[in-house]
Amino acid sequence: MAARLIVQALARRFGGLVAVDAVDLEIASGSVHGVIGPNGAGKTTLLNLVSGHLAATSGAVRFDSIDITRWPPERRARAGIRRTFQNLKLFPQMSVLENVMVGMHGQTRCELWQALLRTPVQRAEEQSIASAARGALEFVGLLHVASVPAGTLPHGTQRLIEIARAFVAKPALLLLDEPAAGLNRVECRRLVELIRVIRASGITVMLVEHHMDVVMPLCDRVTVLNYGRRLADGTPSEIREHPEVIKAYLGGGTPMSRRQPAQAPEAAHAAP
């Protein structure tokens, strides 16, 4: 299977602190690729480097064989890379529908003067965006709350709104930063099914996550980070039994396959 994303010797330094250290990563087109590791291992920093929200100190990011290392995040978004955030970034006073419509900002063509004058072209574009947003809400099962202010809804629902906002533009690569954070087991199972449907629609997914009951049944491959470096890469079954992963990530000698699926414990170290 062809690679949708290739990360080569990617590094990010904050002064004397190395948050991501010469990481290599390859994500196959149409797959779900998990990135796991203890808190502070560099997972979100890696995601920020892929999305362009942080600039790389060294190394390269290639998307569909194109070097995008120096591209700003808005250019990457237009090229088909969309993301969610570990901390929800919704507009709480805006409706659910309006929040999802924001995800189409990169596809708008009308200029400010057209919006101010409410020209026919601008009105038609707005209607098209609203229709796409309603389709995304229906996809995640939230069309019935389209008119509700996003900030009044439960945390798990807000997570789905953010996924809908990233999904609405039909990206080629969807970056999910801990989408299961704060969800209960039932919500986690629904999330797994939703991401499976997203993958079936042809979207490649890079998933940063702590919940093993989300990662293991869902991902085609898993990369493990520790202290900013790649510790292991393989199938979920290979990662479960990997001795260095067990030692660094779970802090013990029992293979992950023999443990109850649960959220991984926090590590003592804390890099960005």
Side-chain angles (χ1 to χ4, degrees):
M1 192 178 294
R4 174 123 282 174
L5 181 78
I6 298 176
V7 170
Q8 298 172 312
L10 199 62
R12 171 68 192 199
R13 296 178 178 84
F14 297 92
L17 177 64
V18 183
V20 172
D21 190 1
V23 169
D24 292 325
L25 178 69
E26 186 170 313
I27 299 181
S29 181
S31 69
V32 177
H33 193 113
V35 178
I36 67 173
N39 287 343
K43 304 181 299 297
T44 293
T45 301
L46 176 62
L47 202 74
N48 287 337
L49 293 172
V50 172
S51 68
H53 287 81
L54 277 177
T57 303
S58 58
V61 179
R62 301 185 67 84
F63 175 62
D64 286 344
S65 302
I66 300 171
D67 189 336
I68 64 170
T69 310
R70 302 304 170 196
W71 287 15
E74 61 271 18
R75 186 176 178 185
R76 299 188 199 203
R78 288 195 300 269
I81 300 176
R82 294 300 179 103
R83 67 166 298 175
T84 65
F85 292 86
Q86 182 176 350
N87 298 315
L88 290 168
K89 295 185 181 295
L90 299 177
F91 299 96
Q93 304 305 320
M94 290 168 53
S95 73
V96 171
L97 180 65
E98 289 168 336
N99 268 276
V100 177
M101 289 174 66
V102 171
M104 293 291 288
H105 69 279
Q107 278 64 42
T108 57
R109 295 292 178 266
C110 290
E111 298 182 9
L112 178 61
W113 68 269
Q114 292 172 298
L116 292 174
L117 295 177
R118 297 287 292 167
T119 65
V121 173
Q122 188 276 334
R123 291 199 302 271
E125 183 178 70
E126 186 174 4
Q127 290 173 0
S128 176
I129 290 171
S131 178
R134 283 192 289 269
L137 286 173
E138 185 174 19
F139 182 83
V140 301
L142 294 180
L143 186 57
H144 63 290
V145 294
S147 62
V148 177
T152 65
L153 294 168
H155 179 83
T157 303
Q158 292 187 36
R159 286 281 177 195
L160 293 179
I161 296 168
E162 195 168 45
I163 291 175
R165 185 172 62 187
F167 172 81
V168 67
K170 302 297 176 62
L173 175 63
L174 179 59
L175 312 176
L176 300 178
D177 192 1
E178 298 197 23
L183 303 189
N184 59 40
R185 288 185 179 274
V186 172
E187 291 170 329
C188 283
R189 286 196 294 270
R190 290 173 181 165
L191 176 67
V192 168
E193 293 307 314
L194 175 61
I195 296 174
R196 283 175 175 157
V197 175
I198 290 173
R199 174 177 56 187
S201 74
I203 296 174
T204 304
V205 178
M206 179 179 176
L207 172 69
V208 168
E209 188 51 72
H210 272 304
H211 285 258
M212 293 301 99
D213 46 353
V214 171
V215 172
M216 293 303 173
L218 180 61
C219 294
D220 300 291
R221 292 191 70 83
V222 178
T223 297
V224 185
L225 298 183
N226 194 35
Y227 291 102
R229 292 193 169 193
R230 191 178 82 168
L231 179 65
D233 184 278
T235 65
S237 59
E238 291 169 341
I239 295 301
R240 282 190 188 100
E241 308 297 331
H242 196 292
E244 291 301 314
V245 174
I246 295 166
K247 179 180 178 181
Y249 190 63
L250 292 175
T254 304
M256 294 167 72
S257 60
R258 299 176 193 168
R259 295 172 179 242
Q260 293 295 321
Q263 185 171 355
E266 295 185 359
H269 58 283

